[in-house]
Amino acid sequence: MQVPNTRTGVKSRPRVAIRENGQVTGHPIRDELAALIGREHVLDVPLGSEYNRDASGRRGLDGRAEAVVLPGSAEEVAALLGWCYEHDVPLVTRGGGTGLVGGAVPTPGSVVCSLERLRAVRELEPGLWRMSVEAGLRTRDVQRLARENGLMFGPDPGAAEQSQIGGNVATNAGGPHALKYGVTGAWVSGLEVALAPGELAAVGGWVRKDVAGYDIKDLMVGSEGTLGVITAVRLRLLPAPEHAEVLVAFSASREEGCAAVLALFAAGVRPSALDFLDGEALAFAGGAYPASRVVGGAEADDGPPSWARFALVVELDGSAEEVASARGDVLEALGELAREIQEPVEQAALWRWRDGINPAVTSVRGAKVSADVVVPVERLGATLDSFDEIASRHGLRSCSWGHAGEGNLHATVLVDPASEAELDAAEEVMEELYELVAASGGSIAGEHGVGLLKRGRLARQWSPQAVELHERIKQAFDPKGLLNPGKKLAR
Ligand SMILES: Cc1cc2nc3c(=O)[nH]c(=O)nc-3n(C[C@H](O)[C@H](O)[C@H](O)COP(=O)(O)OP(=O)(O)OC[C@H]3O[C@@H](n4cnc5c(N)ncnc54)[C@H](O)[C@@H]3O)c2cc1C
């Protein structure tokens, strides 16, 4: 039997198990891959396997992989890619599986390349502020290694315990500290990548400047597994800041809260993080709010003030003197726009609470549908208002939180997971939001990528020429269309 590749139309060898009298007698793909990578590193994938999903948990996003392969070296990754290219089998790269747009969800008939065994630290040179690690190293381990050596790795996406540095690069992940320190790509000095039709290549290096060629390294950053497989990452680090303080500013209205964001910019303050929660998100997540003190006053009551309709989490870092000076500037700039300012007794507890917003909101009705979108920062308030209006017109309760300093909102509607009607309505809400964002000069993806969930929407915000270039870049890297097919499509 010849199986056509959905994207290329190329006929390939059978990818299904051979059955005789209902018994599986062999599996042509897994058997060949076992010979290439070792039988113990080629896994069968039952339907409900986690390898068939990512963290988006969205309706209809269950994939169907033929096999999961766990290569043990960059060379094995390149060999696997080469085998897929030779046999016209789609290859879906998987990091920690924490993506929120279906990027790592395997398309039917594909082989999953999971990077979980590639965890080595190749170089660690604290004196030169740099380290080189394999792509499967967990984000938390990268952060810890930097910290233990007096350095910092700035990106801090919310699922750092499980996500991998390769996945962070492939999605160009952000997080609260991207405001001051940039998204993951800003920390990438070089990459080792497996490219079609099965070669390893190094792009970038340890130089701090390089304008010699087109920037292939930066094309790989954020490419979501559609251009090649990242096998190792050279990271440039920074000396860790000496001191950090966190303030939580509560406003009585969204209007005042968004005005406070602009007031901080106008005052020339440069927070290391400037996150927000709207009133609804605050209400849903408020129960777990950590012990805090009112700035200049007594211990705060349990939870955020009942009148609060907007909260800004402001983190300042630097030397102790710099933080003290910036703190004064923040308090002055916020003025009456913040009715109460608190500081957590324990900063780590505040950030744990911040990381817990997602599950807290999900638990309200059993499920939620979120979109990660970004608008120019001065459009944040208007976008939040319009989003709530759209959701309420569709009969759904909404809330938002995100990275205020970057105009990046995780716009969310609460749904009953058993209600198809509500799930349909949620999708309609998100489509209207994407239109709104494109019309506001924003983007459908601030930090989570396009994956499967947002494919086809990029054309709404890009000119036809730019969309065509996007497609020609894909064609140049992946002429057979086998690398994570169906993902990051512009139209
Ligand atoms: C609770 C929670 C909080 C989150 N908070 C944030 C946040 O604050 N900021 C943020 O930006 N994201 C956030 N995310 C999303 C997610 O953690 C990031 O997108 C992360 O970078 C994905 O990394 P991963 O290793 O899990 O990749 P996966 O989910 O496995 O894959 C994501 C995409 O990258 C590709 N890919 C993975 N590894 C490689 C590789 N080595 N080479 C080539 N392609 C590869 C995959 O094919 C897929 O398209 C959050 C997710 C959760 C569940």
Side-chain angles (χ1 to χ4, degrees):
M1 185 182 73
Q2 294 261 291
V3 182
N5 177 287
T6 48
R7 198 161 160 103
T8 61
V10 176
K11 303 267 177 165
S12 64
R13 349 200 285 142
R15 296 206 289 273
V16 291
I18 299 164
R19 288 171 189 274
E20 282 172 12
N21 303 325
Q23 297 294 307
V24 177
T25 59
H27 190 289
I29 286 192
R30 285 203 288 275
D31 288 348
E32 286 199 31
L33 293 174
L36 196 68
I37 311 287
R39 183 155 301 278
E40 68 276 33
H41 302 308
V42 178
L43 313 180
D44 188 3
V45 243
L47 257 186
S49 160
E50 62 171 40
Y51 289 107
N52 280 325
R53 307 194 207 105
D54 71 355
S56 59
R58 286 282 279 275
R59 180 173 58 164
L61 269 198
D62 272 337
R64 190 74 184 98
E66 275 309 313
V68 173
V69 182
L70 317 180
S73 67
E75 289 72 22
E76 285 189 358
V77 173
L80 173 63
L81 198 158
W83 185 91
C84 287
Y85 238 71
E86 193 187 334
H87 296 90
D88 294 307
V89 173
L91 182 75
V92 177
T93 307
R94 184 179 184 88
T98 68
L100 294 170
V101 289
V105 172
T107 32
S110 57
V111 165
V112 170
C113 170
S114 176
L115 276 298
E116 62 204 65
R117 289 176 64 220
L118 264 71
R119 292 189 178 192
V121 178
R122 291 185 178 175
E123 295 164 85
L124 176 58
E125 296 169 294
L128 291 168
W129 306 356
R130 67 195 198 190
M131 73 167 108
S132 167
V133 299
E134 289 186 341
L137 193 67
R138 292 218 174 97
T139 315
R140 189 66 86 219
D141 291 329
V142 173
Q143 293 166 336
R144 182 183 47 75
L145 274 170
R147 202 173 45 246
E148 286 171 358
N149 287 280
L151 298 168
M152 77 176 288
F153 173 64
D156 55 346
E161 294 292 346
Q162 198 187 326
S163 67
Q164 299 175 0
I165 187 66
N168 298 155
V169 175
T171 54
N172 203 3
H177 292 92
L179 176 65
K180 181 170 179 183
Y181 293 108
V183 288
T184 303
W187 297 73
V188 175
S189 183
L191 294 174
E192 178 189 78
V193 286
L195 298 173
E199 306 292 329
L200 274 185
V203 288
W206 280 137
V207 288
R208 289 200 164 251
K209 294 165 137 182
D210 182 2
V211 292
Y214 297 126
D215 200 336
I216 296 174
K217 164 180 74 71
D218 276 3
L219 270 178
M220 293 301 302
V221 172
S223 61
E224 299 182 48
T226 62
L227 302 184
V229 184
I230 298 159
T231 52
V233 187
R234 288 179 166 183
L235 294 168
R236 41 170 102 90
L237 308 168
L238 282 177
E242 181 186 298
H243 185 63
E245 286 185 20
V246 179
L247 299 170
V248 185
F250 294 102
S251 298
S253 71
R254 173 180 292 171
E255 204 182 351
E256 287 178 348
C258 291
V261 174
L262 301 183
L264 291 175
F265 278 116
V269 181
R270 197 159 176 230
S272 42
L274 183 54
D275 273 16
F276 81 97
L277 294 86
D278 74 1
E280 289 284 279
L282 205 49
F284 299 143
Y289 182 73
S292 301
R293 286 183 287 267
V294 177
V295 169
E299 206 164 287
D301 291 337
D302 280 351
S306 56
W307 46 261
R309 295 291 172 272
F310 201 86
L312 275 180
V313 177
V314 189
E315 189 195 74
L316 303 164
D317 72 359
S319 67
E321 298 76 36
E322 284 165 344
V323 172
S325 159
R327 181 185 164 105
D329 294 342
V330 167
L331 297 179
E332 191 182 328
L334 290 176
E336 294 300 309
L337 294 170
R339 301 275 174 97
E340 185 170 308
I341 301 176
Q342 299 184 3
E343 49 195 335
V345 172
E346 192 204 331
Q347 287 178 30
L350 193 280
W351 287 117
R352 278 197 301 277
W353 171 72
R354 163 66 185 81
D355 281 348
I357 298 172
N358 201 330
V361 170
T362 306
S363 69
V364 177
R365 294 203 62 219
K368 65 171 179 54
V369 174
S370 285
D372 152 58
V373 295
V374 60
V375 291
V377 65
E378 72 280 11
R379 305 273 317 151
L380 178 64
T383 307
L384 289 168
D385 289 345
S386 301
F387 174 66
D388 284 351
E389 182 276 315
I390 296 168
S392 119
R393 189 155 33 75
H394 286 271
L396 294 175
R397 215 168 152 192
S398 58
C399 69
S400 296
W401 69 96
H403 313 302
E406 292 153 307
N408 186 188
L409 53 146
H410 302 320
T412 300
V413 287
L414 309 184
V415 290
D416 171 354
S419 165
E420 291 293 322
E422 287 191 17
L423 291 167
D424 288 345
E427 278 170 25
E428 286 164 25
V429 169
M430 295 310 163
E431 289 308 319
E432 283 195 43
L433 176 67
Y434 298 147
E435 292 289 349
L436 172 82
V437 161
S440 310
S443 175
I444 54 160
E447 54 179 16
H448 296 164
V450 169
L452 272 177
L453 279 177
K454 295 185 184 174
R455 65 183 168 171
R457 276 55 168 218
L458 187 57
R460 293 180 191 169
Q461 69 192 47
W462 276 18
S463 66
Q465 290 84 350
V467 168
E468 202 188 315
L469 267 178
H470 188 268
E471 290 167 353
R472 280 163 56 191
I473 289 167
K474 165 74 174 171
Q475 174 71 18
F477 276 81
D478 180 21
K480 286 189 169 187
L482 293 173
L483 302 180
N484 215 359
K487 316 289 175 61
K488 214 173 178 69
L489 297 182
R491 56 181 163 187

